[in-house]
Amino acid sequence: MRQTEHSETRQWLDRHGLTEAEPTPLLATRLAVRRRAKLVGDILLAGFLIGAALTHATGRVTDTAYSWLPLLVLTALVAGMLVAQWLLRQWVRRVDRRAGAQLPRRVAHPVGFGWPAVLGRPYAVFTVAAYTGALVLAVSVLPVSDPVLRAGAAVVLIGLAGAGAGMVMQLRQVLTSPAVAEDEASLTADVVMRVEDARALVTPSLVWMLPAIFLYGESLGWWNAVAIGLVVAGVVAFGLVQTRTMAVGATARQAMIVR
């Protein structure tokens, strides 16, 4: 294990209250692959947002008779994003399996950790509320006479459907992944990683960005105010959830106690 990896692992352990645990090659390998996966995931998200924006812009200059073509392209982008996210999570699981196969002994938790223990109800409620608000806004804009707004609503609905499916798929992978641990300390670290991964997955990046589509166009109406209000309310609510819920390390230790 290189000195840089040792230092990063030590900082991660201290940040989550695992001061008595020692940095090990197992933890360093698992943390490194998660950092790389997060970077690739952010690039995928940025690429999808750019693709969605280009699709919407193309639809605005395309003849109405062919307006379905941009939506088909966007649907293909959503499918591609879902496949890429699944492959990305499988890559993390493969690295974990290889690291676990090298352990002289392996500890596994007897009972699977469900989403209430790993994600927590406040995060789950916030996520459902954020997606519901964006969906209701998009559906409410569909009857508006402005074709640009209707096309934007279709883009938002397709994007939200893809983002929601990707989140559920990846969250299921996080919850069902087998534990990779050799002792109590590394098992606690394993649960900490699950909590970190789950909370990162429900950060509503797309939910905040997609409604910005309704800020463009020639028509002004209630949808402009609601689009801005959803983002502001979402940021405030997310901040409250983060500050009023237990830290990642404390959540993981609580899950270990009630397992």
Side-chain angles (χ1 to χ4, degrees):
M1 181 169 53
R2 294 177 296 184
Q3 183 60 38
T4 303
E5 294 176 336
H6 183 278
S7 300
E8 291 175 344
T9 306
R10 179 73 270 165
Q11 292 173 5
W12 184 86
L13 289 169
D14 293 342
R15 187 166 64 249
H16 296 300
L18 303 175
T19 54
E20 297 180 358
E22 290 296 325
T24 62
L26 171 67
L27 288 177
T29 299
R30 300 189 70 194
L31 291 174
V33 72
R34 279 162 174 77
R35 285 193 296 270
R36 298 188 186 107
K38 183 180 184 305
L39 177 60
V40 176
D42 291 342
I43 294 174
L44 284 174
L45 177 60
F48 175 76
L49 288 172
I50 293 172
L54 290 175
T55 300
H56 185 48
T58 302
R60 294 183 61 178
V61 298
T62 303
D63 192 358
T64 306
Y66 300 96
S67 61
W68 54 272
L69 286 175
L71 297 181
L72 285 180
V73 173
L74 181 62
T75 303
L77 285 175
V78 167
M81 183 182 68
L82 290 176
V83 172
Q85 288 176 335
W86 183 82
L87 292 174
L88 192 61
R89 199 69 219 175
Q90 287 297 109
W91 172 46
V92 174
R93 293 186 69 169
R94 283 198 303 271
V95 172
D96 283 351
R97 282 199 300 267
R98 285 199 298 267
Q102 297 175 3
L103 296 176
R105 60 174 184 168
R106 186 163 176 176
V107 178
H109 54 76
V111 180
F113 297 102
W115 66 264
V118 175
L119 179 60
R121 296 187 186 279
Y123 277 92
V125 171
F126 167 77
T127 303
V128 172
Y131 272 85
T132 301
L135 284 170
V136 169
L137 172 60
V139 172
S140 300
V141 172
L142 284 175
V144 176
S145 59
D146 188 344
V148 174
L149 283 173
R150 289 202 305 271
V155 170
V156 172
L157 287 173
I158 295 173
L160 288 175
M167 183 192 66
V168 172
M169 174 187 67
Q170 293 180 91
L171 186 59
R172 182 180 179 277
Q173 289 175 311
V174 169
L175 295 176
T176 59
S177 296
V180 180
E182 54 188 340
D183 52 25
E184 188 71 15
S186 56
L187 181 57
T188 303
D190 180 276
V191 183
V192 170
M193 291 181 197
R194 293 173 192 268
V195 176
E196 271 192 331
D197 291 346
R199 291 187 178 182
L201 285 174
V202 300
T203 302
S205 303
L206 276 175
V207 178
W208 288 340
M209 295 177 184
L210 283 175
I213 287 177
F214 299 123
L215 301 180
Y216 299 93
E218 299 177 357
S219 298
L220 297 176
W222 57 266
W223 46 84
N224 303 100
V226 173
I228 296 175
L230 281 176
V231 175
V232 174
V235 172
V236 172
F238 192 60
L240 290 175
V241 169
Q242 287 184 310
T243 56
R244 293 177 179 267
T245 54
M246 290 190 296
V248 172
T251 301
R253 285 187 285 274
Q254 180 67 24
M256 292 283 292
I257 292 174
V258 300
R259 72 168 187 238

